[in-house]
Amino acid sequence: MANAKAVLDDRDDRTQEEVDEALTALQQAISGLELSPVVEPEPSKTVLRALHESVSTMSNTDGQYTAASWSALQTALAGAAQVLDDESADQEQIDAAAVELGTALAGLEVAKAPQPSPVHVKRIKLNQLKLQLVKGKTFRLEDGVYYSNGRAAYSGKTKWTSSNTRIATVNSAGRITAKKTGTAKITVTTNERNAAGKRLSKSITVKVVKKKPKSKVTKVSAAPRRA
């Protein structure tokens, strides 16, 4: 091509035959030109491998993430491992696996902490089934409030009432005062409610007498009866 260029540059001093030969040589040289093959770069797994190694160290044994999001991450992690092991994987496959794994990692959802079960009253008990008091005397009833979580309270969780305060009164601590002869119903009610939304109550009938009745003793012989 250099010779042809020199002839063409000096064509004024050249014969037509030399110019034609130079032109022919130039055309042949041009037609013989070949494009160099395009060399594709080797696929790179550097990013995918680093991401895979990072995710592989993660754990969900404590249930920190939701089951669904953790499962999606494990699926993407397995797919990335397959691409890393595939020597024939091209860059497009490698990039797609990296995007899928990164998306699954970003999509991890933190699981909500379990909410404790609501605590409610299950039952209430009194330490007496019935009571007889002499007029003017007092007696303190004891109550127990039992909860669904196994806990119990023995004071301050109830309200006391009397059906007839002329016969017997009761204070906030459950102490009954006998006023006059007769009967009255003493009721204790929980301040808190049960699972059905109702307060629980327990009642006892108090009988007020003028004086304590004498105990009657029946004599019994320990000796065997005669036939």
Side-chain angles (χ1 to χ4, degrees):
M1 291 182 66
N3 291 335
K5 183 176 182 302
V7 171
L8 292 175
D9 287 343
D10 299 333
R11 60 182 176 273
D12 293 339
D13 299 327
R14 303 286 182 170
T15 64
Q16 185 61 46
E17 184 178 354
E18 290 176 324
V19 172
D20 291 343
E21 289 177 356
L23 182 59
T24 299
L26 180 60
Q27 289 173 339
Q28 289 177 347
I30 292 173
S31 62
L33 288 175
E34 295 181 0
L35 294 175
S36 299
V38 177
V39 179
E40 295 288 342
E42 287 293 325
S44 174
K45 298 180 178 180
T46 303
V47 173
L48 180 60
R49 182 172 288 105
L51 184 58
H52 180 273
E53 291 176 355
S54 177
V55 174
S56 296
T57 63
M58 298 177 65
S59 171
N60 196 36
T61 54
D62 57 355
Q64 179 182 0
Y65 306 106
T66 62
S69 65
W70 181 255
S71 177
L73 181 64
Q74 296 310 298
T75 299
L77 187 64
Q82 289 181 347
V83 173
L84 288 172
D85 292 339
D86 186 0
E87 295 182 357
S88 64
D90 58 26
Q91 193 64 52
E92 184 177 352
Q93 292 173 310
I94 296 169
D95 292 343
V99 169
E100 183 178 355
L101 185 55
T103 301
L105 179 60
L108 277 178
E109 296 180 3
V110 176
K112 295 181 180 179
Q115 297 297 317
S117 300
V119 177
H120 53 263
V121 174
K122 290 193 69 175
R123 67 183 186 277
I124 183 172
K125 295 176 69 175
L126 286 173
N127 67 332
Q128 298 290 326
L129 296 177
K130 59 182 180 179
L131 184 64
Q132 180 173 284
L133 280 179
V134 175
K135 179 182 176 181
K137 297 295 184 179
T138 65
F139 183 86
R140 183 178 180 274
L141 284 175
E142 296 178 0
D143 66 277
V145 178
Y146 299 87
Y147 295 86
S148 58
N149 63 353
R151 184 172 59 87
Y154 300 100
S155 63
K157 298 292 184 179
T158 54
K159 180 181 179 181
W160 296 86
T161 57
S162 171
S163 64
N164 193 334
T165 55
R166 292 182 298 171
I167 294 175
T169 59
V170 61
N171 66 12
S172 59
R175 181 167 295 280
I176 300 170
T177 300
K179 294 290 188 179
K180 59 180 294 188
T181 57
T183 58
K185 182 181 289 186
I186 302 299
T187 301
V188 60
T189 304
T190 61
N191 294 332
E192 297 161 299
R193 301 175 186 271
N194 64 6
K198 297 180 179 180
R199 292 185 173 91
L200 303 183
S201 298
K202 200 77 174 179
S203 297
I204 182 175
T205 298
V206 177
K207 182 178 181 180
V208 179
V209 296
K210 288 185 178 180
K211 58 182 180 179
K212 186 176 181 180
K214 294 181 179 180
S215 300
K216 294 182 179 180
V217 178
T218 301
K219 294 183 178 180
V220 179
S221 175
R225 292 182 179 181
R226 291 182 181 180

